[in-house]
């Protein structure tokens, strides 16, 4: 399995351990173990969001293939260029350049924006040509991509505030309708 490693450096000037998590986001701490624990949680958060991103990428790619014959050449060119950009940037994240964490973290947002470009291209085509099925699917995918971006930022902020990242979502509690079968038999018996 591909893995993403964070590096921890010792800064002689500030006498702190530090790890770069973005262009301007540097996490520092006096205790190396506490910083390592934070990075384990951050890595879990990052990998979970990368899995969601890959799932959304397959949906965007499937949308492109389903409406392949309806789209014009200009749309195909823009879409294929954006999908190639996505693949390049996604593969760059896991190339083992562990000393460049701050660049690799930013590549996730580049990947999200590449998918948004694909969806926006399809959405523009759908609006011009009044293709309502494509329009509705694009709007829902676009909303999911923006939600991914928002939830990733929200979870990163929660980690910075020393809140735990909750990976497991409890299942919904659904009550079974026990009276449905009795009511159905009563209705049937009335009409018989």
């Amino acid at each position: 399995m591909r893995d993403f490693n964070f590096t921890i450096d010792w800064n002689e000037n500030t006498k702190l351990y530090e790890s770069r998590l973005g262009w301007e986001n540097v996490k520092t701490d006096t205790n190396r173990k506490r910083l390592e624990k934070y990075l384990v949680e951050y890595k879990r958060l990052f990998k979970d969001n990368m899995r969601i991103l890959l799932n959304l990428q397959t949906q965007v790619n499937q949308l492109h293939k389903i409406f392949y014959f309806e789209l014009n050449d200009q749309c195909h060119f823009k879409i294929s260029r954006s999908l190639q950009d996505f693949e390049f940037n996604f593969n760059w994240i896991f190339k083992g350049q562990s000393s460049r964490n701050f660049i690799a973290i930013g590549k996730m947002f580049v990947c999200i924006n590449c998918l948004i470009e694909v969806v926006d291209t399809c959405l523009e085509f759908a609006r011009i040509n009044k293709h309502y099925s494509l329009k509705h699917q694009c709007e829902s995918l676009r909303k999911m991509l923006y939600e991914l971006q928002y939830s990733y930022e929200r979870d990163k902020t929660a980690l910075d505030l020393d809140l735990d990242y909750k990976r497991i979502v409890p299942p919904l509690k659904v009550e079974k309708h026990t009276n449905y079968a009795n009511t159905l038999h009563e209705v049937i018996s009335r009409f018989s």
Side-chain angles (χ1 to χ4, degrees):
M1 179 178 164
R2 292 184 175 193
D3 204 3
F4 185 78
N5 296 318
F6 292 102
T7 57
I8 298 174
D9 299 319
W10 172 254
N11 190 337
E12 287 291 330
N13 297 333
T14 60
K15 305 294 185 198
L16 295 170
Y17 293 101
E18 64 181 28
S19 182
R20 296 193 174 274
L21 302 174
W23 291 105
E24 298 175 359
N25 187 8
V26 179
K27 183 69 176 174
T28 59
D29 203 331
T30 56
N31 187 340
R32 184 179 176 94
K33 291 291 182 188
R34 191 170 35 222
L35 185 59
E36 287 174 355
K37 182 180 175 187
Y38 173 84
L39 291 176
V40 165
E41 290 296 314
Y42 191 86
K43 184 177 178 179
R44 183 181 307 155
L45 166 71
F46 184 75
K47 288 175 91 174
D48 285 349
N49 283 286
M50 291 305 286
R51 287 184 181 103
I52 295 168
L53 180 65
L54 281 176
N55 191 358
L56 289 173
Q57 190 265 345
T58 58
Q59 291 179 25
V60 169
N61 200 15
Q62 181 183 16
L63 180 74
H64 173 237
K65 296 303 179 191
I66 288 173
F67 293 99
Y68 185 82
F69 294 110
E70 284 85 4
L71 298 171
N72 60 24
D73 291 337
Q74 183 182 8
C75 289
H76 285 299
F77 177 75
K78 287 181 183 177
I79 291 170
S80 63
R81 188 181 67 215
S82 295
L83 289 175
Q84 286 173 356
D85 288 346
F86 175 87
E87 289 296 327
F88 174 78
N89 288 303
F90 184 79
N91 289 331
W92 200 92
I93 292 171
F94 298 102
K95 281 191 176 176
Q97 303 190 10
S98 59
S99 62
R100 296 182 171 187
N101 291 344
F102 60 97
I103 296 174
I105 298 290
K107 291 291 185 181
M108 180 177 175
F109 291 109
V110 173
C111 290
I112 292 172
N113 289 331
C114 288
L115 294 181
I116 289 173
E117 285 178 24
V118 172
V119 172
D120 284 346
T121 302
C122 291
L123 188 59
E124 179 184 352
F125 176 82
R127 287 181 178 157
I128 291 171
N129 296 311
K130 298 181 179 173
H131 203 297
Y132 297 111
S133 174
L134 177 60
K135 178 183 168 241
H136 296 308
Q137 290 181 33
C138 288
E139 287 172 346
S140 65
L141 278 172
R142 190 169 192 252
K143 188 172 183 177
M144 286 190 282
L145 287 165
Y146 280 117
E147 183 61 32
L148 172 65
Q149 216 169 18
Y150 170 74
S151 67
Y152 179 64
E153 284 296 325
R154 184 190 62 224
D155 290 341
K156 276 191 345 183
T157 304
L159 270 180
D160 289 339
L161 297 173
D162 294 329
L163 302 174
D164 290 334
Y165 170 61
K166 302 295 183 202
R167 178 184 231 178
I168 300 171
V169 178
L172 295 174
K173 293 183 179 178
V174 180
E175 294 180 19
K176 294 183 179 179
H177 299 288
T178 55
N179 294 334
Y180 176 73
N182 296 338
T183 309
L184 180 64
H185 291 297
E186 290 174 7
V187 170
I188 293 172
S189 64
R190 285 184 198 164
F191 292 109
S192 338

